[in-house]
Amino acid sequence: IYIPNPTVLNSETGKSYLSIKNITITSNVLIIGDGVAGYRQVGGAIRVLDGADFGFYFKGTSNSSRIIGGGLRGISMIGETASNNSTFVKAEHCSSMEFHNVSMRQGGSAFNIRDFMESRIDYCYFNSLGSETLNVIHIGDYMDSAPWNVNNLHISNNTFGSCSGNWIYASDSANADLIWVEGNKFEWDSTPTNPNSTNKSVIYVGRVERFYIKNNGFV
């Protein structure tokens, strides 16, 4: 599915962005725009409405009946207002997904993932996300029966700034395996929209098997 840049979208529809709320996707849909990750909505511009539980929910049926492929590429997502606390992307029972050159700003969690394998989140931009109770990238508890959860996930070459919560988080019941966190920039940048009231971690690793943190920059 192609979402045009704001100028083209405005000429066709009278609006420069697409508003979404609670969209569940059960097949390997790839949503693409023509943007790069950054502060401006230069790609396929999407606004996640306030009060949404999530923007997109990629949802397979079970570990044996998964979504194989799909994701987001060249898309810009922003919460409707600064008080937005929606999860932009949820994914469960999914494999071989890509989230590439995606900009996410002004919301709750960027990602909440479980039983999510052989996939990548790379060259993305995360700004003004998270809160005291919401993490930017949240690897949740294992599903169905242990050890099914997140395996062979690459989180690489992303930029994080002005975020709250834990920025990358694997829960104490995650049992994640082969998580690669490489080449990212983690920057304070400016005062977060929803600052933490208690100390949080840039990277929190709970129950995992293999978790590699290499060549990142912390500002």
Side-chain angles (χ1 to χ4, degrees):
I1 297 175
Y2 173 68
I3 300 175
N5 69 59
T7 301
V8 173
L9 197 61
N10 185 67
S11 69
E12 295 291 333
T13 68
K15 287 188 175 182
S16 58
Y17 54 85
L18 178 69
S19 295
I20 66 170
K21 178 180 181 179
N22 298 349
I23 295 178
T24 299
I25 297 171
T26 58
S27 61
N28 57 343
V29 173
L30 179 64
I31 301 169
I32 63 172
D34 50 11
V36 296
Y39 194 79
R40 305 286 180 186
Q41 284 200 282
V42 295
I46 292 173
R47 287 194 181 183
V48 181
L49 294 174
D50 291 350
D53 295 320
F54 51 84
F56 295 113
Y57 186 1
F58 295 89
K59 187 178 183 183
T61 303
S62 66
N63 178 261
S64 59
S65 181
R66 315 175 62 77
I67 294 176
I68 309 294
L72 303 175
R73 184 197 303 155
I75 293 294
S76 297
M77 301 180 71
I78 186 171
E80 183 180 11
T81 68
S83 61
N84 186 283
N85 62 359
S86 306
T87 295
F88 283 9
V89 174
K90 290 182 65 177
E92 294 180 352
H93 302 307
C94 298
S95 294
S96 303
M97 300 197 76
E98 64 166 291
F99 296 92
H100 175 75
N101 254 344
V102 179
S103 173
M104 296 185 175
R105 184 161 59 94
Q106 193 173 279
S109 292
F111 291 94
N112 189 309
I113 54 178
R114 299 194 300 168
D115 192 11
F116 184 81
M117 301 181 183
E118 320 299 342
S119 298
R120 62 190 175 106
I121 299 169
D122 63 356
Y123 294 95
C124 295
Y125 175 84
F126 304 105
N127 184 273
S128 299
L129 296 163
S131 69
E132 179 65 24
T133 58
L134 295 169
N135 305 306
V136 182
I137 296 179
H138 182 97
I139 299 172
D141 298 350
Y142 66 79
M143 300 185 70
D144 297 338
S145 60
W148 301 119
N149 198 43
V150 177
N151 176 269
N152 194 20
L153 170 64
H154 290 257
I155 303 172
S156 58
N157 301 300
N158 303 292
T159 298
F160 295 76
S162 304
C163 292
S164 301
N166 301 285
W167 291 13
I168 296 176
Y169 176 89
S171 83
D172 293 336
S173 298
N175 204 40
D177 187 22
L178 279 176
I179 310 300
W180 312 83
V181 180
E182 300 181 272
N184 301 285
K185 177 185 180 183
F186 300 95
E187 184 174 22
W188 173 74
D189 198 30
S190 63
T191 302
T193 303
N194 298 299
N196 298 321
S197 57
T198 61
N199 288 339
K200 303 294 182 183
S201 301
V202 175
I203 301 172
Y204 176 89
V205 179
R207 181 183 175 186
V208 298
E209 293 196 25
R210 287 166 288 186
F211 200 109
Y212 299 97
I213 302 172
K214 300 169 58 179
N215 302 325
N216 297 284
F218 299 88
V219 183

